[in-house]
């Protein structure tokens, strides 16, 4: 595909998200979602491999079904309340369907089955878009309708998503599937906190987007697709190995990294609201996720980690000064520094709210 066409498609994906974020009319929100989806489909099948086409078709059908539910629910709501406003009143039935459709787009329980399979069939760059940028528009819609959604239902699907994300990633050896279940778990945390504090939920989403982007960029830069590819990463690039370990440990929530501080503030919010049982379930679900984060960290930083699979790593010769390598180095240094000095990063974010 021509590079100018790819750039035009990416700009339209960004435009669709900004339309959703800035619109207060349901029809414009639906148009932004459809523009986002239709422009991303050609990007997902750039390689045009059988596995990539299969993942693209699955993603297209899921997004099409979700957008159809949203449009029909909007029409029902207009028929009942005579209002196209996003801030309008929702009935119990329409709020339930809205929650399911947004959960389908975000990959929340019980609509999470498609996300790991789709993410496994695309490259790391395309997976980065699916697990970060494509979650912004549905998350904004969820914030807009959070006042009219049954908070018990939202909390339940959030907590179960944390457990599904932790449990599903335990027996995985594919790095992209592990990151997919990690995404399900983190979005579950964000949706659970949304009921009690919108500002804190936004802060957790921003931290997740930054940390997840760093892990995807580092994994893509050396092409690590399985855990076996990670075991000799320290011989290839010790700084990249350290950065990847910091990134996944920060996603896992180990102190004093940025991921821990965001979850610590979230737990403080839950305890201040008296929901001790929910806080306990979220912590136990995060401990499940921490197991496979530690597997990635051990495999990428320990030279003689015991395993049965062969250690496969693509060795590359880096000769001369390459502009793309300089850009990747700058991006990696910024993202790893944000995950390492989480205290400064969280305080900076909290100052905006």
């Amino acid at each position: 595909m021509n590079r100018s066409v790819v750039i035009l498609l990416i700009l339209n994906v960004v435009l669709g998200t900004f339309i959703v974020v800035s619109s207060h009319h349901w029809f414009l929100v639906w148009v932004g979602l459809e523009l986002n989806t239709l422009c991303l489909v050609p990007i997902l099948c750039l390689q045009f491999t059988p596995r990539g086409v299969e993942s693209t078709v699955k993603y297209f059908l899921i997004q099409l079904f979700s957008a159809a539910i949203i449009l029909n629910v909007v029409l029902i709501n207009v028929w009942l309340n005579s209002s196209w406003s996003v801030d309008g009143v929702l009935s119990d039935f329409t709020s339930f369907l809205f929650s399911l459709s947004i959960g389908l787009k975000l990959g929340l329980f019980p609509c999470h089955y498609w996300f790991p399979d789709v993410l496994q069939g695309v490259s790391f760059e395309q997976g980065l878009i699916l697990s970060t940028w494509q979650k912004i528009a549905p998350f904004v819609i969820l914030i807009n309708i959070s006042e009219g959604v049954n908070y018990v239902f939202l909390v339940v699907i959030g907590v179960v998503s944390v457990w599904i994300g932790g449990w599903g990633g335990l027996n995985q050896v594919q790095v992209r599937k592990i990151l997919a279940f990690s995404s399900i778990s983190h979005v579950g945390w964000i949706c659970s906190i949304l009921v009690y504090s919108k500002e804190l939920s936004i802060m957790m989403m921003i931290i997740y987007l930054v940390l997840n982007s760093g892990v995807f960029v580092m994994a893509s830069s050396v092409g690590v697709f399985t855990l076996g590819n990670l075991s000799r990463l320290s011989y290839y690039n010790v700084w990249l190995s350290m950065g990847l370990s910091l990134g996944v440990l920060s996603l896992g929530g180990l102190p004093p990294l940025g991921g821990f501080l965001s979850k610590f503030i979230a737990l403080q919010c839950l305890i201040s609201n008296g929901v001790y049982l929910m806080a306990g379930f979220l912590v136990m679900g995060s401990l499940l996720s921490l197991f496979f984060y530690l597997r990635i960290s051990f495999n990428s930083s320990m030279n003689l980690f015991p395993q049965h699979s062969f250690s496969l790593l693509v060795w590359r010769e880096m000769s001369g000064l390459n502009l793309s390598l300089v850009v990747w180095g700058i991006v990696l240094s910024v993202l790893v520094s944000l995950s390492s000095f989480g205290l400064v990063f969280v305080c900076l974010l909290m100052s905006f709210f």
Side-chain angles (χ1 to χ4, degrees), residues 113-294:
Y113 294 100
W114 66 273
F115 190 67
D117 192 37
V118 169
L119 203 65
Q120 176 62 29
V122 297
S123 65
F124 277 106
E125 292 83 1
Q126 297 159 343
L128 172 62
I129 299 175
L130 290 178
S131 60
T132 55
W133 184 264
Q134 290 301 102
K135 294 187 182 297
I136 296 176
F139 177 67
V140 171
I141 298 175
L142 191 60
I143 290 177
N144 291 331
I145 67 172
S146 60
E147 297 294 336
V149 176
N150 188 348
Y151 74 94
V152 176
F153 175 73
L154 196 59
V155 166
V156 168
I157 64 174
V159 172
V160 178
S161 295
V162 173
W163 276 82
I164 291 294
W167 194 268
L170 291 179
N171 63 341
Q172 300 294 330
V173 295
Q174 299 289 332
V175 173
R176 284 170 292 183
K177 277 197 173 182
I178 291 176
L179 294 177
F181 284 107
S182 168
S183 177
I184 294 172
S185 177
H186 278 85
V187 175
W189 265 90
I190 293 167
C191 291
S192 301
I193 302 300
L194 179 61
V195 176
Y196 302 97
S197 175
K198 292 183 181 179
E199 293 80 9
L200 182 56
S201 180
I202 294 172
M203 184 200 73
M204 292 186 69
M205 174 61 83
I206 294 174
I207 292 176
Y208 162 71
L209 294 180
V210 172
L211 296 180
N212 199 48
S213 300
V215 173
F216 266 95
V217 167
M218 285 181 279
S220 174
S221 61
V222 289
V224 286
F225 299 102
T226 64
L227 295 180
N229 297 136
L230 291 167
S231 59
R232 294 297 181 264
L233 184 58
S234 57
Y235 287 122
Y236 172 65
N237 191 326
V238 63
W239 298 108
L240 190 61
S241 173
M242 292 174 58
L244 186 60
S245 299
L246 280 176
V248 296
L249 291 179
S250 185
L251 281 175
L254 285 183
L257 304 176
F260 164 76
L261 290 169
S262 65
K263 291 181 179 179
F264 181 78
I265 297 173
L267 286 176
Q268 185 181 11
C269 175
L270 294 176
I271 292 173
S272 63
N273 284 278
V275 282
Y276 304 105
L277 183 62
M278 172 186 167
F281 277 120
L282 288 175
V283 170
M284 288 187 289
S286 295
L287 290 177
L288 287 175
S289 303
L290 187 59
F291 176 78
F292 56 77
Y293 290 126
L294 289 174

Side-chain angles (χ1 to χ4, degrees), residues 31-65:
V31 169
L33 289 174
E34 287 300 292
L35 178 64
N36 194 312
T37 300
L38 293 176
C39 293
L40 185 65
V41 167
I43 298 176
L44 293 181
C45 58
L46 281 177
Q47 287 81 15
F48 209 71
T49 59
R51 187 67 176 88
V53 173
E54 177 189 349
S55 298
T56 304
V57 172
K58 289 180 180 178
Y59 176 77
F60 174 72
L61 293 177
I62 291 294
Q63 299 301 313
L64 185 65
F65 181 69

